[in-house]
Amino acid sequence: MLVAEVEEREREKQRVVSESFPSIQPNLTAQELQELCKELHHKIGVVDEARYDMEVKVTRNQMEIQSLSQRVTELKGVKRPDLKRVKKTADDMLGSYAESSKLMKADFKANLKTVKKDDEKREEVTDWRKNVEAMSGMEGRKKLFDAGQ
């Protein structure tokens, strides 16, 4: 059966080649060769157009498949990524359950440096009404003039 199938493929191949390409006769004139070349050129153009059309269809179908698969994933919802396993040693596992580690974590503020803040000298706040009364009139303007010199 396999041998018969291989022979069937060979016969089909020979048939397609004989249909596509005519046999070349050894003593052709220049005119006949030109006509044969034109005919082959025309067949190449037809095959090239068919190939281009098929490529366009394939790319269009691929884009459609991609958009549909994207819609399906959107409808399913956001998939959370799988978490990676982290291997712990026995000491790490025991240390996480020990009470001493909890105490150390809770007492983290004890090891911080303390910073002393210097008391800034603040000007005494005076009553603004007294300042306005002192600057009013000619006396106040004279004080401002004297202060400017």
Side-chain angles (χ1 to χ4, degrees):
M1 292 176 77
L2 291 175
V3 175
E5 190 175 319
V6 170
E7 290 176 1
E8 178 79 27
R9 285 184 192 161
E10 276 297 319
R11 279 187 256 133
E12 182 68 24
K13 186 191 251 184
Q14 290 294 332
R15 187 185 62 79
V16 170
V17 168
S18 65
E19 285 178 3
S20 300
F21 304 106
S23 62
I24 299 176
Q25 300 163 356
N27 41 353
L28 291 175
T29 63
Q31 183 68 20
E32 291 173 343
L33 282 174
Q34 285 180 350
E35 289 176 13
L36 181 63
C37 288
K38 287 180 183 178
E39 183 181 330
L40 289 175
H41 184 70
H42 183 312
K43 286 184 179 181
I44 288 172
V46 169
V47 169
D48 197 34
E49 286 177 9
R51 181 191 55 84
Y52 178 75
D53 291 340
M54 292 298 277
E55 281 183 7
V56 169
K57 285 180 184 178
V58 167
T59 54
R60 192 175 297 149
N61 287 342
Q62 286 175 345
M63 297 280 283
E64 187 177 349
I65 289 169
Q66 187 178 10
S67 66
L68 290 174
S69 63
Q70 187 176 8
R71 275 185 171 172
V72 167
T73 55
E74 287 175 359
L75 289 175
K76 286 182 180 178
V78 178
K79 183 179 179 185
R80 292 176 41 196
D82 297 334
L83 298 176
K84 294 182 180 179
R85 290 187 178 263
V86 178
K87 294 186 178 182
K88 285 187 166 184
T89 61
D91 294 334
D92 291 338
M93 286 192 280
L94 291 176
S96 63
Y97 293 117
E99 291 182 22
S100 63
S101 64
K102 289 181 182 176
L103 292 175
M104 290 175 63
K105 288 180 185 175
D107 198 25
F108 71 94
K109 289 185 179 179
N111 296 332
L112 296 176
K113 291 182 180 179
T114 57
V115 178
K116 294 181 181 178
K117 293 184 179 178
D118 296 330
D119 292 332
E120 296 177 8
K121 295 181 181 178
R122 296 184 180 178
E123 295 179 15
E124 291 183 20
V125 178
T126 58
D127 191 13
W128 60 273
R129 288 172 279 178
K130 292 179 183 176
N131 193 14
V132 169
E133 289 174 2
M135 292 294 185
S136 65
M138 288 301 285
E139 299 160 3
R141 291 188 181 153
K142 185 178 180 190
K143 287 181 189 176
L144 287 175
F145 180 74
D146 290 340
Q149 290 180 351

